């Protein structure tokens, strides 16, 4: 498990270094690379485990603009064109069986039943010309989904 975590962090550092050219333009050579690595590692505040839900930077940014007191509630229900569907709602109350995931002050709540369908996924906020919405990406529990990304079929 520790080796897997180290590999994931290393790959994230490499990817962040590739993406981090704009902010590092004022720095040169190894100074720029060091700046990018520190920036990447400072954003890795969540513990990486198979039971964790990750929050993308765009998700965190959007949640911070919506409500400081509430959180995003993610629910998995039966239905949709693939068998199960994701539901997103803003909520201010926590239930007994809720699991709270937090990154940089942005909060996401998932109930115990839904967590079984979401373990290991990433919650993202995506904007297009025709719509903008929260979405689930990289869900290891999902085998296939519909084209809009709102529903999925379970891996068996």
């Amino acid at each position: 498990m520790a080796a897997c975590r180290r590999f994931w962090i290393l790959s994230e550092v490499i990817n962040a270094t590739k993406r981090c050219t704009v902010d590092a333009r004022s720095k040169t050579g190894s100074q720029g690379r060091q700046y990018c690595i520190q920036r990447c590692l400072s954003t890795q505040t969540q513990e990486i485990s198979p039971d964790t839900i990750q929050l993308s930077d765009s998700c965190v940014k959007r949640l911070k603009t919506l409500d400081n007191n509430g959180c995003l509630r993610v629910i998995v229900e039966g239905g949709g064109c693939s068998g199960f569907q994701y539901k997103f709602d803003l909520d201010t109350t926590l239930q007994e069986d809720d699991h709270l995931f937090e990154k940089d002050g942005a909060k996401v709540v998932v109930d115990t039943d839904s967590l079984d369908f979401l373990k290991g996924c990433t919650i993202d906020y995506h904007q297009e010309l025709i719509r903008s919405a929260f979405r689930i990406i990289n869900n290891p529990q999902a085998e296939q989904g519909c084209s809009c990304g709102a529903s999925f079929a379970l891996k068996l």
Side-chain angles (χ1 to χ4, degrees):
M1 183 63 136
C4 182
R5 178 179 161 79
R6 281 189 294 253
F7 175 76
W8 184 85
I9 290 174
L10 179 60
S11 66
E12 285 298 305
V13 168
I14 291 168
N15 289 334
T17 304
K18 290 177 185 175
R19 289 189 309 264
C20 187
T21 56
V22 174
D23 292 339
R25 283 187 185 155
S26 62
K27 298 166 178 40
T28 58
S30 63
Q31 259 188 334
R33 282 191 298 279
Q34 186 65 28
Y35 170 80
C36 292
I37 291 169
Q38 287 173 347
R39 183 173 155 206
C40 173
L41 292 177
S42 70
T43 62
Q44 303 301 323
T45 58
Q46 292 180 314
E47 180 64 27
I48 308 304
S49 81
D51 295 341
T52 299
I53 293 177
Q54 302 298 312
L55 307 180
S56 71
D57 291 339
S58 62
C59 175
V60 170
K61 183 177 176 184
R62 180 63 177 152
L63 284 173
K64 284 184 172 182
T65 63
L66 290 177
D67 188 3
N68 290 337
N69 298 324
C71 55
L72 178 69
R73 180 172 292 280
V74 182
I75 302 167
V76 175
E77 296 178 338
C81 56
S82 298
F84 294 93
Q85 60 188 348
Y86 303 115
K87 295 282 186 176
F88 300 94
D89 195 15
L90 292 177
D91 200 349
T92 56
T93 59
L94 292 176
Q95 307 299 325
E96 276 185 35
D97 69 336
D98 283 343
H99 298 267
L100 179 67
F101 300 93
E102 189 171 359
K103 179 179 176 183
D104 298 334
K107 299 174 186 173
V108 173
V109 174
V110 179
D111 63 87
T112 301
D113 294 334
S114 297
L115 183 60
D116 290 335
F117 298 102
L118 297 170
K119 289 178 181 178
C121 77
T122 300
I123 301 174
D124 187 39
Y125 183 75
H126 184 71
Q127 289 183 296
E128 297 176 2
L129 277 176
I130 59 172
R131 86 178 201 156
S132 59
F134 291 100
R135 65 182 182 169
I136 303 294
I137 57 175
N138 303 327
N139 186 351
Q141 313 305 321
E143 184 173 53
Q144 62 184 15
C146 65
S147 62
C148 71
S151 68
F152 67 99
L154 268 182
K155 282 185 181 176
L156 297 177

